[in-house]
Amino acid sequence: MKKILCFFVFTFALYLQAQDRPKLVVGIVVDQMKMEYLYRFNNDFSKDGFKRLMNNGFVFHNVNYNYMPTYTGPGHASIYTGTTPSVHGIVGNEWFSRKLGKDRYCTDDALVKTIGDGTKAEGEMSPKNLLTTTITDELRLATNFKGKVIGMSLKDRGAILPAGHFANWAFWYSKTGAFISSTFYGEKLPEWVTDFNNEKHFMPYITKGWDLLKPVATYDESLADENLYEGKLNGAKPVFPYNLKEMFDKNDAGIIRSTPFGNDLLEEFAKKAIEKEELGKDAITDFLTVSFSSTDYVGHNLGPRSMELQDTYLRLDLTIADFLNYLDKTIGKGNYLIFLTADHAGAENAKFLQDNKYNVTNVEPKEIVKGLKKFSTDTFGEDLVLNYSNFNLFFNKEIIKTKGLELAKVKQAYKEYLMTQDQIKRVYSEEEILGAAGNDFYLNCVAKGYDPSEDGDLVLLDKPGYIEYGATGTSHGTPYSYDTHVPLLFYGWNIPKGETHDHKDITQIAPTLAQKLKITFPNGTESKLLLEVLNK
């Protein structure tokens, strides 16, 4: 009798713990997704993908990034740390480091090695450059490292930064067609990953090729199939159908990234991870981070008004529907918690806007550098620019010192020159940024994205609509709403149905999850919460 009673007490304790936390949390990031896509493509979505999340979950319609630069690395880090680049340290995807005096990549780590069938450079990655903890780190700590955390993406930074410092694994896609990792996580890949790679799941997608999912009349929210604002796709003319096998033969398995099938491949891999790692199978909460990158590759190459981008989102909708059905069957309805957001949004193609009578244009970064060099030599007799990238301008202080120049006067001269350029709205000095306070919204955004040990002497802010990019496709990086306004959908375990149009910041996601899971906040967060999903 005593044994039976102990069994029931133990079982009831597990039941209570299961009620306090979901069995599995799934964080989904859609790379370069604008909130507007949920509106524009809504009539063409299925009822079981994005619409299921929106109709049965909680929709935050007005979530924005609260810093500049709005890039993939900083975006993923900010979602999962609940803070901005000025605190978590990921100030770009790659950047010229003031401290090191050279370029660095956000997840570079020369002390680790590639594991799996990838090149040496593809796998020398870890989260060591991330200065704060993530919500995934805090879950590992809260469960005494018993709750599993696995991150995955086609991009290394999209897998590594969300998974945090204490993850069991992070996996990313190699141009060889394999998912790889680094020795930061283990000495060799789990057997199930090796088996998955050996089965070459990418090949059926390549063999089939890419044509429109639906009749061409469906794509009336997009421009014509071939237009002036699209670049090439893996060297091919941007016209359906695409012969992916031909692209593959000329390039490598990396070509799948620039098609919607990169998302499908990642979903297959995510389902295999849930099965083989037994995620969500016990009373201890696990966390899976999934970052869909193909949307970003297609957006950069072909732009936000291309039929290819619309087709990518219609297919992603079906992928998400399939994934939700899989979670229902394997984890159980009500046992998992999902949030879906984006690492940044994206601008309209500037030439498209210009052709429709908006007086903006694209500016090639190399032309900005060329102009800076000419101004330098004309004014000071020598090039004083050490580097210009990511809107950051660095001066060669050794030359400035040797020439007996005052740095403050040099900065002022460059500011005055830059303010004569058509695309420039503001130029902020390091001193202005570090002293940021008050009513300058954009200066505050710059300050939240600025690390004085890494970033430049001056930071440039372009005027709205201008883009530092080529004439085709699109990019992102500014603090304007077209780059900052992203979706945020919560769905599943203890999430009420509803919506709000109140302004929210992307950095509110991680602390909200911490409160929801009853665990410690990530250590850099400002701890501002999304109360709407905490009231159930």
Side-chain angles (χ1 to χ4, degrees), residues 128-271:
K128 77 168 188 176
N129 296 325
L130 183 64
L131 303 180
T132 61
T133 63
T134 60
I135 184 62
T136 46
D137 286 329
E138 298 301 341
L139 180 66
R140 289 281 283 161
L141 291 170
T143 60
N144 199 20
F145 295 92
K146 293 176 183 176
K148 286 187 176 181
V149 169
I150 294 177
M152 59 181 61
S153 177
L154 298 184
K155 295 181 179 180
D156 47 55
R157 55 190 180 270
I160 292 168
L161 297 172
H165 303 275
F166 307 138
N168 298 84
W169 284 101
F171 303 107
W172 53 97
Y173 187 69
S174 165
K175 61 185 179 181
T176 64
F179 282 94
I180 63 172
S181 192
S182 80
T183 51
F184 179 85
Y185 302 98
E187 293 305 311
K188 65 177 183 177
L189 291 176
E191 187 176 342
W192 67 266
V193 178
T194 301
D195 291 343
F196 186 94
N197 289 336
N198 290 340
E199 291 163 1
K200 298 188 182 300
H201 287 249
F202 65 91
M203 277 308 299
Y205 298 113
I206 287 174
T207 302
K208 184 178 180 181
W210 182 15
D211 204 349
L212 290 172
L213 175 67
K214 296 188 176 186
V216 68
T218 306
Y219 298 81
D220 56 353
E221 293 90 0
S222 302
L223 298 177
D225 189 17
E226 185 177 9
N227 61 72
L228 298 173
Y229 316 111
E230 297 178 315
K232 292 185 176 181
L233 189 74
N234 295 315
K237 189 177 179 181
V239 179
F240 283 104
Y242 288 96
N243 186 329
L244 301 184
K245 182 64 167 61
E246 191 174 277
M247 290 182 190
F248 171 70
D249 291 340
K250 291 180 179 178
N251 298 280
D252 51 50
I255 65 103
I256 201 171
R257 295 185 177 110
S258 300
T259 77
F261 309 119
N263 294 332
D264 292 333
L265 178 65
L266 188 67
E267 189 229 359
E268 284 191 58
F269 190 66
K271 291 194 290 188

Side-chain angles (χ1 to χ4, degrees), residues 185-426:
Y185 302 98
E187 293 305 311
K188 65 177 183 177
L189 291 176
E191 187 176 342
W192 67 266
V193 178
T194 301
D195 291 343
F196 186 94
N197 289 336
N198 290 340
E199 291 163 1
K200 298 188 182 300
H201 287 249
F202 65 91
M203 277 308 299
Y205 298 113
I206 287 174
T207 302
K208 184 178 180 181
W210 182 15
D211 204 349
L212 290 172
L213 175 67
K214 296 188 176 186
V216 68
T218 306
Y219 298 81
D220 56 353
E221 293 90 0
S222 302
L223 298 177
D225 189 17
E226 185 177 9
N227 61 72
L228 298 173
Y229 316 111
E230 297 178 315
K232 292 185 176 181
L233 189 74
N234 295 315
K237 189 177 179 181
V239 179
F240 283 104
Y242 288 96
N243 186 329
L244 301 184
K245 182 64 167 61
E246 191 174 277
M247 290 182 190
F248 171 70
D249 291 340
K250 291 180 179 178
N251 298 280
D252 51 50
I255 65 103
I256 201 171
R257 295 185 177 110
S258 300
T259 77
F261 309 119
N263 294 332
D264 292 333
L265 178 65
L266 188 67
E267 189 229 359
E268 284 191 58
F269 190 66
K271 291 194 290 188
K272 186 62 70 173
I274 291 170
E275 175 194 348
K276 295 299 184 179
E277 295 290 338
E278 297 187 329
L279 301 182
K281 293 299 183 185
D282 57 28
I284 301 174
T285 302
D286 299 317
F287 205 128
L288 176 68
T289 77
V290 181
S291 178
F292 290 113
S293 308
S294 291
T295 43
D296 186 66
Y297 288 103
V298 175
H300 275 297
N301 286 327
L302 301 166
R305 299 283 165 179
S306 65
M307 292 174 69
E308 287 85 351
L309 189 81
Q310 183 172 354
D311 196 68
T312 298
Y313 275 96
L314 298 188
R315 291 177 182 274
L316 178 58
D317 175 63
L318 298 180
T319 301
I320 288 173
D322 181 73
F323 190 52
L324 292 174
N325 290 334
Y326 177 81
L327 291 174
D328 286 345
K329 292 176 183 176
T330 56
I331 312 300
K333 290 183 179 181
N335 290 328
Y336 61 89
L337 169 63
I338 280 184
F339 71 89
L340 182 148
T341 189
D343 55 346
H344 52 76
E348 293 284 357
N349 177 275
K351 289 291 188 183
F352 167 71
L353 295 178
Q354 186 182 62
D355 289 346
N356 283 278
K357 302 183 181 180
Y358 182 10
N359 187 27
V360 295
T361 189
N362 70 296
V363 183
E364 298 275 1
K366 63 183 179 182
E367 291 301 314
I368 297 173
V369 173
K370 183 178 177 182
L372 286 166
K373 288 182 181 295
K374 184 177 187 307
F375 171 76
S376 262
T377 53
D378 289 350
T379 307
F380 300 102
E382 195 165 354
D383 185 8
L384 304 183
V385 175
L386 185 61
N387 182 273
Y388 174 72
S389 55
N390 295 338
F391 309 104
N392 279 255
L393 177 59
F394 299 79
F395 292 118
N396 191 322
K397 294 185 176 70
E398 289 297 320
I399 295 178
I400 290 173
K401 184 177 180 181
T402 300
K403 293 179 72 69
L405 299 170
E406 290 184 37
L407 181 59
K409 290 183 178 179
V410 170
K411 288 183 182 181
Q412 185 60 34
Y414 276 86
K415 285 181 72 172
E416 290 174 4
Y417 158 72
L418 287 164
M419 288 301 295
T420 68
Q421 304 303 296
D422 287 344
Q423 83 274 15
I424 298 297
K425 178 72 173 176
R426 297 276 192 278

Side-chain angles (χ1 to χ4, degrees), residues 7-25:
F7 171 78
F8 280 115
V9 169
F10 177 72
T11 304
F12 186 65
L14 287 179
Y15 171 78
L16 288 178
Q17 186 176 355
Q19 299 308 298
D20 286 342
R21 294 177 186 159
K23 290 185 174 182
L24 177 66
V25 181

